[in-house]
């Protein structure tokens, strides 16, 4: 199943034009409270959500821009107008 991704500059394109950048982990941890364990968890641990997740993509065969989208990992479809729910 092919993935269509909406680049904010170029519009909807074939997923083969993009490089996956991983799930969005939110802002970097506060450096004042940072431990090596917190940094390791932030940089290496994935939640691997079965459902809608926010992720980074790079348009390598287009405008060379990094951006985020919401994708349903179960159907491999981009989710438009997804509203984040606070944890
Ligand atoms: Zn683009």
């Amino acid at each position: 199943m092919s993935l269509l991704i909406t680049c904010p500059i170029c519009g909807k394109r074939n997923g083969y034009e993009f490089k996956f950048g991983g799930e969005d982990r939110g802002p970097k941890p506060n450096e004042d409270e940072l431990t090596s364990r917190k940094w390791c968890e932030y940089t290496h641990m994935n939640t691997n959500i079965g459902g809608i997740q926010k992720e980074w993509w790079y348009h390598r065969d287009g405008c060379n821009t990094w951006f985020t989208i919401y994708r349903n990992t179960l159907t491999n479809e981009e989710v438009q107008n997804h509203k984040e729910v606070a944890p």
Side-chain angles (χ1 to χ4, degrees):
M1 84 184 114
S2 69
L3 171 64
L4 293 175
I5 296 174
T6 306
C7 171
I9 295 172
C10 306
K12 194 174 288 274
R13 298 293 178 92
N14 189 310
Y16 291 112
E17 293 186 12
F18 299 85
K19 175 180 174 38
F20 181 66
E23 66 186 48
D24 180 66
R25 295 185 170 93
K28 287 183 181 177
N30 184 343
E31 289 189 22
D32 296 336
E33 303 168 355
L34 191 58
T35 63
S36 56
R37 181 175 186 88
K38 281 184 181 179
W39 182 248
C40 181
E41 289 174 354
Y42 177 78
T43 56
H44 299 293
M45 303 304 285
N46 295 314
T47 52
N48 295 319
I49 294 170
I52 298 171
Q53 78 174 0
K54 187 177 182 182
E55 26 188 62
W56 284 95
W57 287 85
Y58 176 68
H59 199 179
R60 68 171 178 221
D61 293 340
C63 61
N64 299 319
T65 299
W66 282 99
F67 59 93
T68 58
I69 65 167
Y70 290 94
R71 182 177 63 95
N72 187 328
T73 61
L74 301 176
T75 62
N76 202 29
E77 293 176 338
E78 183 180 3
V79 178
Q80 302 287 341
N81 303 317
H82 177 71
K83 302 285 186 221
E84 285 190 67
V85 178

